[in-house]
Amino acid sequence: MEGQGLNRRELLNLSLLVGGGLVLGRVWPSGAAEAPTALQPNPFVRVGADGRVTIWVNKSEMGQGVLTGLAQIIADELGADWSQVEAVQADADPKFGNQNTGGSTAVRTQFEELRQAGAAAREMLVRAAAQRWGVPAERLFAKGGKVHDPKTGASLAFMELVAEAARVPVPQNPPLKSPKDFDFIGKPMPRLDARGKVTGKAVFGSDVRLAGMLYAVVARPEVFGAKLVSFDEKPALQVEGVVKVVPVSSGVAVVARDTWAALKGRAALKVVWEPGENASFSTKALLGAMEEAAAKPGKEALRHGQGFVLPAGARRVEARFSLPFLAHAPMEPQNATAWFHDGGLEVWAPTQVPMPARQEAARVAGLPVEKVTLHVPFLGGGFGRRLASDFVAEAVEVARHFTVPVQLLWTREDDMTHDFYRPPSVHQLEAAVAGKQILSWRHHQVTCSIGQQRNPARAGQVDRAALEGAEPPYAFPSWLVEQTLLPVPVPLGAWRSVYASQNPFASEHFFDLVARELGEDPLQLRRKLLPEGPLKAALRLAGEKAGWGTALPAGWGRGVACCSSFGSHVAEVAEVSLHKGKLKVERVVVAVHCGRVINPRLVEQQMVSAVVFGLSAFLRGRITVEGGKVLETNFDRYEPLRFSEMPKVEVYTVPSEEPPGGVGEPGVPPLAPAVANAVLAATGKAVHRLPWEA
Amino acid sequence: MAKFTLDVNGEKRTVEVAADTPLLWVLRDHLQLTGTKYGCGVGLCGSCTVLVNGEAERSCSLPVSQVVGKNILTVEGLGGHHPVQEAFVAEDVPQCGYCQSGQVMQAVALLSAKPKPTAEQIAAAMGDVLCRCGTYDRIARAIARVARR
């Protein structure tokens, strides 16, 4: 066993310096946490005796701004002074409700609940002030960290009220503020994590440093599903700094005193794999099979009216589109740190699913979940990759051989070649047209089911989740969506906007092909066929801000696409230039209807981010599997958008007081079809497969 | 293993590591300077960017034996209130934040060499540092903010 040189107290003291209770917002003096007279009506908010406000953020911060946005909601109802607010990433704990961070849900599923959490604390402070002053609580209000009496002009700071407020019964249904009185909701509050992230102080998963910690990497098979036959650990153990070699479910772990020694040990390790049946798998064959399936009828999944009909005298327009596997490639590769101590297990995991990750850690450790503590450091990107807990399980599997903490790090190559990939798809689109009318529409989606790969018992059924974005938003007299699902040995997972990154690409790009066939302007035709509502409002705004119909330089094209997803509605207009076969996306105008905006700056950032994410995939995103192995192993062959390729992006929001929608994902779906439509406008040629090729 | 004395952020730091250890892992695993990030290991992404004698270098591809006697500056060495850091905060640049140390260091190198860089010079320099979240527009604004001073 390792780490016996340090005693328990030394280990703990050192660990608290770096790991225990990660404060991700501003620095919080540790003594204040034990203040005896704090007001804490619920797990989300505490007002300390010094008046400082701590807010526990239950969703994982991975760039989307939840640390700031969710804190704003609670602080607003509380009536806090923003400069007194600290945001802390919550550990995995059921008391924080559903901590899963995905599906663009952080605000839209919790808005009222978080408001109530803040309002409960505010009501207790207000009632304490009312008692002190002997006036009715109803006429008091909280703002700027004080309770005010508008009649007398008197005010009391929270810190003067905390002790009494803590004795007030926690209100069950505290009154919520009127939106006109919001102080922070709707305002561009600066990100609480910005300074830590530009000074190197922010602690990401791979930055966790604990006394005596060892570093591990895992030798993995190249071929998906290959089995470990044997390994010779001797050459690895001869590398200076290598401490131990341990087989794990996913391969062979090399544990060392620093990362470099672990990497050298892994390179020296001799491992024999049995490749198994997937050694003959290739994406080329899979996409060929998908093309064949697309030419045949699929299983009916959604239908409106008669389904697809081609009346006598109508013309058929058809096209096929092919989309590749994609990797998430977050900038921070997968990692987790695990430490068995005191009969329990402590884990630091940059995860989108804190509770499932904690449960997985407990399962692997053979411990009851109560014996496992899981901290959530910052995530260096997520995009859906960190919905899986494979890297957490792996870290625990390695760490159980030690009494010191072990940090497991995946290399970029590990991350690229052992992802849960966005499935590929082929889409067959058909329209029946006559005159200037679209009479009927058919979309046959051929893809692989993420859900059925996880739960093979559902094979043979329609995968409803895979239909996201496939239902036409337009008033076609009749339409049909068909689905064909093919099994695949490549691990599949949700990738920012999931199937809405695919279906609307095909249908929105096809829409423009049909519009050309009809001789109609694609934006006007959309406006004609969309019912009044938020998507149409977004479309109108995007067209207006983009200057739709105005002249462009020679060699340029302009395209539009729109999609509703994750509770929001986004239209994008792209302008592209093509010179000597070189495509440049010059400008993207985004119009979003996402209900009530909590933080306009975060909304803007997420829309810009979605444009960049979508454009990276459009231009170069492709994962190729040959002989059961992924060929794109690093950023040379899977290169996200670079600085010089950044288009001018403008973001506009449709004003709304509707409940909030999602913002992390909905900006992705319209990007690729808008760019494809701009290419079509510039060249007259459709984009039948991604990534784009001249 | 061999002993190397390095000049990191103005301090002499002695480490005992294999001579081929990249500076990145010396900083992160031995000196606890975790602001410098691992992203690709082969100099493609720029997350590990530090300044060596004032030039932006990829610390993942720089063996420790080659940086002895040189001035190494990491994001921690900027002090926290460097004009570039202040500009990044003012423009609210970071999203996930993982690439930001590299972006900041690359921008510091650029602005030291060219206090009033042209758009082309900015694009050429910043093109070496990937951001998967797409903060490029705000990085450009932050650099412009410093250049205006």
Side-chain angles (χ1 to χ4, degrees):
Chain A
M1 297 297 252
E2 296 300 320
Q4 284 159 2
L6 284 168
N7 71 30
R8 165 92 198 107
R9 180 178 298 274
E10 284 168 332
L11 280 173
L12 260 184
N13 283 345
L14 281 160
S15 84
L16 288 172
L17 285 177
V18 262
L22 291 166
V23 176
L24 304 178
R26 292 165 204 152
V27 177
W28 174 259
S30 59
E34 278 73 49
T37 50
L39 167 64
Q40 179 155 20
N42 54 60
F44 294 95
V45 59
R46 182 183 61 205
V47 184
D50 56 359
R52 295 232 200 175
V53 175
T54 307
I55 290 172
W56 281 264
V57 171
N58 67 341
K59 301 287 182 177
S60 302
E61 176 61 65
M62 51 186 176
Q64 82 283 46
V66 284
L67 202 70
T68 308
L70 300 191
Q72 265 177 265
I73 296 169
I74 294 174
D76 198 316
E77 284 290 349
L78 173 59
D81 169 357
W82 186 248
S83 70
Q84 294 290 303
V85 172
E86 326 276 342
V88 178
Q89 190 81 62
D91 285 350
D93 193 320
K95 75 180 179 187
F96 293 114
N98 182 354
Q99 294 178 261
N100 292 354
T101 311
S104 303
T105 54
V107 169
R108 67 189 170 116
T109 62
Q110 310 197 109
F111 185 51
E112 295 301 316
E113 190 187 344
L114 296 179
R115 290 178 69 189
Q116 278 174 6
R122 176 246 297 151
E123 271 307 285
M124 293 163 80
L125 289 158
V126 162
R127 286 180 206 177
Q131 281 171 22
R132 178 92 68 90
W133 287 326
V135 302
E138 290 68 30
R139 81 171 194 221
L140 308 182
F141 69 96
K143 191 181 174 77
K146 292 175 180 170
V147 177
H148 303 266
D149 184 344
K151 194 157 179 187
T152 63
S155 68
L156 280 166
F158 285 178
M159 65 182 291
E160 301 173 85
L161 292 165
V162 163
E164 289 151 77
R167 290 192 289 272
V168 173
V170 178
Q172 289 314 301
N173 287 301
L176 298 180
K177 284 168 81 168
S178 163
K180 69 176 167 43
D181 297 326
F182 283 155
D183 294 315
F184 311 127
I185 294 171
K187 305 238 161 61
M189 307 310 288
R191 292 182 70 117
L192 293 171
D193 52 354
R195 188 167 290 279
K197 286 176 172 177
V198 301
T199 55
K201 291 200 175 93
V203 177
F204 293 84
S206 50
D207 296 337
V208 170
R209 289 291 174 271
L210 304 165
M213 189 173 92
L214 295 172
Y215 300 81
V217 295
V218 170
R220 307 162 196 284
E222 288 184 301
V223 175
F224 290 112
K227 296 279 181 292
L228 177 65
V229 176
S230 65
F231 66 95
D232 180 6
E233 64 181 16
K234 279 189 235 68
L237 288 170
Q238 277 162 12
V239 172
E240 266 191 306
V242 171
V243 170
K244 207 178 176 93
V245 174
V246 283
V248 292
S249 316
S250 51
V252 183
V254 178
V255 186
R257 300 213 174 273
D258 65 19
T259 310
W260 184 244
L263 290 168
K264 278 166 67 178
R266 182 173 83 166
L269 194 67
K270 301 227 179 322
V271 190
V272 179
W273 307 99
E274 166 54 46
E277 59 189 22
N278 297 333
S280 59
F281 177 82
S282 76
T283 38
K284 198 174 173 195
L286 175 68
L287 282 162
M290 287 182 143
E291 296 269 356
E292 278 177 37
K296 297 173 190 158
K299 191 171 282 187
E300 180 175 319
L302 298 166
R303 162 203 282 266
H304 173 70
Q306 300 284 304
F308 181 68
V309 283
L310 185 69
R315 283 171 295 145
R316 183 199 301 265
V317 185
E318 61 184 323
R320 193 177 294 167
F321 306 93
S322 173
L323 303 176
F325 279 111
L326 292 173
H328 299 84
M331 288 310 300
E332 180 186 35
Q334 306 316 309
N335 66 87
T337 305
W339 180 23
F340 283 85
H341 65 86
D342 298 281
L345 169 63
E346 193 169 4
V347 178
W348 290 259
T351 172
Q352 292 179 240
V353 287
M355 270 313 291
R358 184 178 163 198
Q359 282 152 358
E360 179 67 354
R363 184 189 67 76
V364 175
L367 287 169
V369 74
E370 299 73 39
K371 288 275 188 189
V372 178
T373 306
L374 187 138
H375 311 291
V376 184
F378 280 121
L379 285 60
F383 315 123
R385 173 61 181 90
R386 290 177 159 101
L387 292 168
S389 299
D390 53 332
F391 53 94
V392 179
E394 206 173 58
V396 173
E397 245 190 297
V398 180
R400 68 181 173 191
H401 294 273
F402 300 88
T403 57
V404 292
V406 179
Q407 179 165 94
L408 169 86
L409 179 69
W410 287 34
T411 60
R412 173 58 53 195
E413 290 79 5
D414 293 338
D415 193 77
M416 292 293 302
T417 58
H418 291 82
D419 198 350
F420 292 84
Y421 302 88
R422 199 284 303 270
S425 57
V426 172
H427 304 260
Q428 178 75 30
L429 274 290
E430 284 180 76
V433 301
K436 293 261 183 192
Q437 304 288 316
I438 299 173
L439 304 175
S440 193
W441 177 275
R442 173 176 177 264
H443 181 163
H444 179 194
Q445 171 206 33
V446 182
T447 188
C448 312
S449 166
I450 301 167
Q452 292 180 11
Q453 187 177 67
R454 299 242 166 97
N455 185 357
R458 296 210 303 253
Q461 300 171 14
V462 167
D463 180 353
R464 302 259 151 222
L467 298 170
E468 180 117 37
E471 181 175 334
Y474 304 107
F476 302 141
S478 74
W479 51 259
L480 178 67
V481 176
E482 292 171 54
Q483 187 182 64
T484 299
L485 299 172
L486 300 183
V488 69
V490 177
L492 305 175
W495 182 95
R496 195 174 187 174
S497 80
V498 205
Y499 290 97
S501 70
Q502 302 174 302
N503 295 318
F505 170 72
S507 55
E508 280 292 282
H509 190 30
F510 182 63
F511 188 96
D512 276 35
L513 290 173
V514 176
R516 283 173 84 83
E517 184 72 24
L518 300 181
E520 292 271 16
D521 175 89
L523 180 76
Q524 300 314 327
L525 187 60
R526 280 179 176 80
R527 286 181 60 164
K528 196 165 95 186
L529 290 171
L530 273 183
E532 277 308 319
L535 186 59
K536 191 167 185 172
L539 182 73
R540 206 179 276 129
L541 183 61
E544 181 189 306
K545 295 293 184 183
W548 187 267
T550 56
L552 287 171
W556 286 44
R558 187 186 277 131
V560 64
C562 59
C563 181
S564 301
S565 66
F566 305 94
S568 291
H569 315 273
V570 183
E572 295 177 19
V573 175
E575 289 172 11
V576 306
S577 66
L578 276 136
H579 292 293
K580 296 181 181 142
K582 171 109 181 103
L583 172 66
K584 174 138 202 302
V585 178
E586 303 279 355
R587 179 182 180 222
V588 179
V589 173
V590 182
V592 52
H593 187 305
C594 58
R596 181 181 299 285
V597 169
I598 308 306
N599 183 326
R601 188 174 311 184
L602 293 175
V603 171
E604 189 223 287
Q605 283 188 338
Q606 284 310 292
M607 293 304 136
V608 174
S609 179
V611 165
V612 171
F613 203 77
L615 193 49
S616 294
F618 183 94
L619 292 174
R620 289 188 290 269
R622 169 167 46 207
I623 289 294
T624 313
V625 186
E626 264 180 42
K629 306 172 190 174
V630 169
L631 300 188
E632 294 81 6
T633 58
N634 210 315
F635 292 129
D636 47 353
R637 297 182 72 173
Y638 194 84
E639 190 183 17
L641 201 77
R642 296 251 178 209
F643 188 99
S644 61
E645 301 169 296
M646 180 74 192
K648 183 177 190 298
V649 184
E650 299 160 42
V651 178
Y652 302 95
T653 307
V654 179
S656 167
E657 294 189 354
E658 297 284 304
V663 297
E665 291 164 283
V668 176
L671 186 278
V675 173
N677 288 337
V679 170
L680 176 67
T683 64
K685 286 186 203 149
V687 180
H688 289 286
R689 58 188 64 241
L690 292 182
W692 185 79
E693 278 165 27
Chain B
M1 298 282 173
K3 277 196 178 169
F4 296 92
T5 298
L6 305 178
D7 181 344
V8 182
N9 299 333
E11 286 178 43
K12 298 279 182 225
R13 307 286 299 265
T14 301
V15 290
E16 197 170 348
V17 296
D20 61 353
T21 308
L23 175 60
L24 171 67
W25 302 114
V26 174
L27 295 172
R28 290 184 55 80
D29 297 354
H30 293 272
L31 301 178
Q32 320 295 316
L33 293 171
T34 54
T36 305
K37 308 299 188 202
Y38 164 77
C40 71
V42 288
L44 292 168
C45 76
S47 291
C48 67
T49 301
V50 298
L51 303 197
V52 178
N53 287 348
E55 300 277 333
E57 300 270 6
R58 313 303 158 211
S59 65
C60 74
S61 308
L62 207 53
V64 62
S65 56
Q66 285 182 22
V67 291
V68 174
K70 296 181 180 171
N71 291 313
I72 299 159
L73 185 68
T74 73
V75 69
E76 291 89 349
L78 295 180
H81 294 282
H82 187 281
V84 172
Q85 289 173 313
E86 292 301 323
F88 270 59
V89 171
E91 293 292 344
D92 234 352
V93 173
Q95 289 187 30
C96 95
Y98 194 77
C99 72
Q100 294 291 310
S101 300
Q103 304 285 3
V104 166
M105 297 313 287
Q106 187 76 31
V108 168
L110 167 70
L111 289 160
S112 320
K114 302 181 181 81
K116 308 277 177 202
T118 62
E120 289 72 27
Q121 288 167 335
I122 294 172
M126 301 312 294
D128 289 340
V129 190
L130 280 174
C131 172
R132 191 83 169 111
C133 301
T135 64
Y136 299 132
D137 56 340
R138 285 179 182 267
I139 291 171
R141 273 144 61 180
I143 291 172
R145 182 182 274 262
V146 178
R148 273 200 309 272
R149 281 158 49 100

